[in-house]
Amino acid sequence: MNGKLRRFAVVLAVAAGGLGISAGSAQAASFVPIPGNYEYDPDRGAWHDYCTLSPDRPVVPPWGQVDFRGPCANHDMCEEAGGANTLRCDRLFFNLMHQQCEHTFGTGPARGPCDFITDTYYNAVRNTGN
């Protein structure tokens, strides 16, 4: 796709989003909910505060927000349950965040930026152990 056509596609997608028109295909992935037995209580530490130092609902400009509370809560619970296999918990986190991006944005133009945010969160978790 040449530069002019790509810019037009982005402008069209932004305009469609502002009109409430879906810019992607039908959303196939299901929403990742917060587990019913998750205890949100930041006073109890990082395993009880969703995404710790990152936004729980990051903005994917200009398309809106994605809700990462479910993926973060699942990760917290996996780690707290004796995440002896931290990589398994982190991969679950990674997959659930990508699922949330797919649920929220389908295959539309916001999907790439949402997946980038997911990769950033995942890399931060892998590098800091949180």
Side-chain angles (χ1 to χ4, degrees):
M1 183 181 293
N2 71 35
K4 285 184 181 180
L5 188 55
R6 186 174 310 136
R7 281 191 297 277
F8 176 73
V10 169
V11 168
L12 183 60
V14 170
L19 295 172
I21 300 170
S22 174
S25 65
Q27 295 154 351
S30 60
F31 179 78
V32 180
I34 299 165
N37 58 340
Y38 181 74
E39 296 178 36
Y40 178 79
D41 183 359
D43 291 337
R44 292 183 60 195
W47 286 336
H48 298 276
D49 67 355
Y50 299 130
C51 300
T52 308
L53 300 175
S54 300
D56 299 328
R57 295 180 191 136
V59 174
V60 181
W63 294 281
Q65 291 180 297
V66 61
D67 187 348
F68 282 157
R69 293 176 303 163
C72 290
N74 276 282
H75 182 256
D76 289 351
M77 291 175 71
C78 182
E79 291 281 337
E80 186 176 39
N85 187 347
T86 301
L87 179 59
R88 182 183 62 76
C89 294
D90 293 350
R91 290 302 297 172
L92 172 69
F93 178 54
F94 177 84
N95 291 333
L96 291 177
M97 284 190 301
H98 278 288
Q99 180 178 328
Q100 203 73 319
C101 286
E102 182 179 345
H103 168 78
T104 305
F105 299 112
T107 59
R111 182 64 191 275
C114 189
D115 286 339
F116 177 80
I117 293 169
T118 292
D119 295 345
T120 302
Y121 277 43
Y122 173 77
N123 286 322
V125 164
R126 289 301 304 154
N127 290 322
T128 64
N130 291 323

